[in-house]
Amino acid sequence: MADQRLPLAVVRPVGALSAAHRAWVSHPRWSLAVKGAFAASLAWFVGLLAPEPFSQYPYYAPLGAVLATTSTVVRSVRESLQSVAAVLVGALIARTVHLLPLPGLVELAMVVGLALLCVGWRIFGDMGSWTVMSSIFVLILGNGGDGDGMEFIGSYIGLILVGASIGIAVNLLLPPLPLTPSELALGRLRDGMAEQVELLANWLEDRGTLDPDEWEQRRQQLLPTVECARAAVARTREASRANLRVRYKRNEYWIASQTRRAGALGTSAEVVDEIVRLLVEWERDGRGEVALGQRLRPEFAATLRAFATALRAAVTRDVADQAAAGAARDEAADAVAGLDRSVERLRDVVRTAQRSSEQTYLVAGALIVDLARGADALRL
């Protein structure tokens, strides 16, 4: 009996750990929160140990630490420098205006106005808003005597710089590399396109002409998924720069794989969008000459299903483990070959229809070109 229970006692913890790991890598914000909390706590501790007058304001060090741990390694360095520069400019604005004999309300308005003028400076990048925050902090909290004011400014800027340095160091030791989220985004794009193509094929066979409003809405609904996948892969590529994790567990191959598949699926998304757009415009009631008609719809629907099959295989064409990529490569190649054959059959059917009809089938030709372009995109 003990021997029979042993596998259950072993499998359950392993399964739980595996599920926990999948959840962890699928939600990079969790690791970001842990890393940011650790860096902020360390920066606070360093601020408390700093000599006077820095130890009077230890709460500014965690600001710099959090800033540096909320992005990629390369960006954290750039944004930390930009934020320190913005803080410095804001502090100088507040200190300079405070030296003028102005009423409190006028002084505040001038400080905020001048700081807002600096927000859009290219040198600050996305960190320009720190100019306004810094100017207000310095104006309100550092407006004592000349010595106190300069002491506050020095402590404020110095502690943010120290905190940012700690955050950068933590980011270098524990760099983000969101490979799993970008993989999931590519999978959602793949599924969304394949589903739309299959639904379009079913619609053409069962209902014939398209409902323009409904299919235009479906076309628009896919666009955010396309942008999300592109942004996710772009974040992964940026995170891979100066990232030590790229060298481990074949992550470098995985990143290259995602980049290739993102390009293929991006081109395929353009093809799907163009096909739906052309059919919405031409394959509908009220058109004197439709794109396909009853004669070509069945063959075109069959080609769309072959396209959907190739799309579903494309996302598994490359995998992180090169040794396991062979079967996926063969599957994708077979799917694209099937799409090629289907496109050629559709081309023959259109040629036959042209010879026996006065209709030009120009839109059908454009649709064939789009499908051929989609096949080329998936032929990696």
Side-chain angles (χ1 to χ4, degrees):
M1 183 68 70
D3 292 339
Q4 293 177 352
R5 293 178 180 177
L6 181 59
L8 295 177
V10 173
V11 170
R12 286 177 181 175
V14 171
L17 289 175
S18 178
H21 179 263
R22 286 196 302 269
W24 178 265
V25 297
S26 299
H27 299 84
R29 284 288 171 184
W30 295 358
S31 60
L32 181 67
V34 173
K35 186 169 58 177
F38 172 73
S41 301
L42 184 59
W44 170 270
F45 183 71
V46 171
L48 289 175
L49 296 180
E52 296 285 349
F54 297 100
S55 58
Q56 298 180 22
Y57 314 99
Y59 35 82
Y60 289 121
L63 288 177
V66 171
L67 173 70
T69 54
T70 54
S71 58
T72 63
V73 174
V74 173
R75 183 180 291 184
S76 66
V77 176
R78 181 176 68 248
E79 291 185 348
S80 296
L81 294 175
Q82 290 174 334
S83 63
V84 171
V87 165
L88 178 60
V89 170
L92 291 176
I93 290 174
R95 190 59 186 163
T96 301
V97 174
H98 181 67
L99 296 176
L100 301 176
L102 299 173
L105 182 60
V106 176
E107 181 182 25
L108 176 64
M110 181 173 290
V111 166
V112 173
L114 291 174
L116 285 173
L117 289 176
C118 300
V119 167
W121 286 4
R122 183 177 301 178
I123 191 175
F124 297 148
D126 296 331
M127 298 293 106
S129 59
W130 279 82
T131 308
V132 180
M133 290 188 289
S134 172
S135 63
I136 294 176
F137 279 154
V138 173
L139 181 65
I140 296 175
L141 302 177
N143 60 355
D146 290 350
D148 293 337
M150 295 306 298
E151 178 181 283
F152 175 82
I153 292 175
S155 301
Y156 177 51
I157 296 174
L159 286 170
I160 287 184
L161 183 58
V162 169
S165 300
I166 293 173
I168 291 172
V170 171
N171 231 14
L172 285 171
L173 293 174
L174 302 170
L177 190 60
L179 283 166
T180 299
S182 54
E183 192 71 34
L184 293 174
L186 287 174
R188 285 191 294 270
L189 175 58
R190 178 274 316 268
D191 292 340
M193 287 192 297
E195 181 181 350
Q196 187 170 94
V197 170
E198 289 170 347
L199 184 60
L200 181 59
N202 293 335
W203 186 294
L204 289 172
E205 282 188 338
D206 299 338
R207 306 191 191 185
T209 55
L210 273 63
D211 183 312
D213 293 336
E214 179 175 348
W215 276 98
E216 179 61 24
Q217 183 179 5
R218 289 180 183 276
R219 189 177 75 88
Q220 294 295 329
Q221 287 175 346
L222 189 61
L223 298 181
T225 306
V226 176
E227 294 303 320
C228 180
R230 286 174 177 168
V233 175
R235 284 193 298 269
T236 298
R237 285 201 302 267
E238 183 184 40
S240 66
R241 297 171 59 192
N243 194 322
L244 297 177
R245 291 177 59 190
V246 172
R247 303 176 183 176
Y248 298 104
K249 297 181 180 179
R250 298 173 180 164
N251 285 334
E252 187 173 6
Y253 177 79
W254 196 357
I255 293 170
S257 163
Q258 286 190 355
T259 301
R260 288 193 298 271
R261 284 179 287 137
L265 292 178
T267 301
S268 299
E270 295 174 1
V271 168
V272 172
D273 183 73
E274 180 65 10
I275 289 174
V276 175
R277 188 190 65 79
L278 285 173
L279 290 177
V280 165
E281 176 64 24
W282 289 91
E283 196 70 11
R284 64 178 182 179
D285 293 333
R287 274 284 182 185
E289 180 179 320
V290 295
L292 302 170
Q294 295 182 357
R295 186 173 184 178
L296 298 183
R297 283 174 196 152
E299 192 64 41
F300 188 78
T303 307
L304 286 177
R305 290 195 178 91
F307 186 28
T309 300
L311 283 171
R312 293 194 185 279
V315 81
T316 59
R317 181 194 186 285
D318 290 311
V319 292
D321 187 354
Q322 295 186 56
R329 213 169 7 244
D330 293 340
E331 178 188 354
D334 291 342
V336 173
L339 176 57
D340 288 335
R341 290 191 296 269
S342 187
V343 169
E344 190 59 36
R345 284 195 300 269
L346 177 61
R347 187 178 285 114
D348 291 339
V349 171
V350 172
R351 291 188 186 124
T352 302
Q354 283 178 324
R355 286 194 294 266
S356 60
S357 172
E358 295 181 357
Q359 189 170 334
T360 58
Y361 290 107
L362 292 178
V363 178
L367 291 169
I368 291 174
V369 170
D370 285 328
L371 287 167
R373 181 186 173 209
D376 288 337
L378 300 176
R379 201 186 335 270
L380 296 176

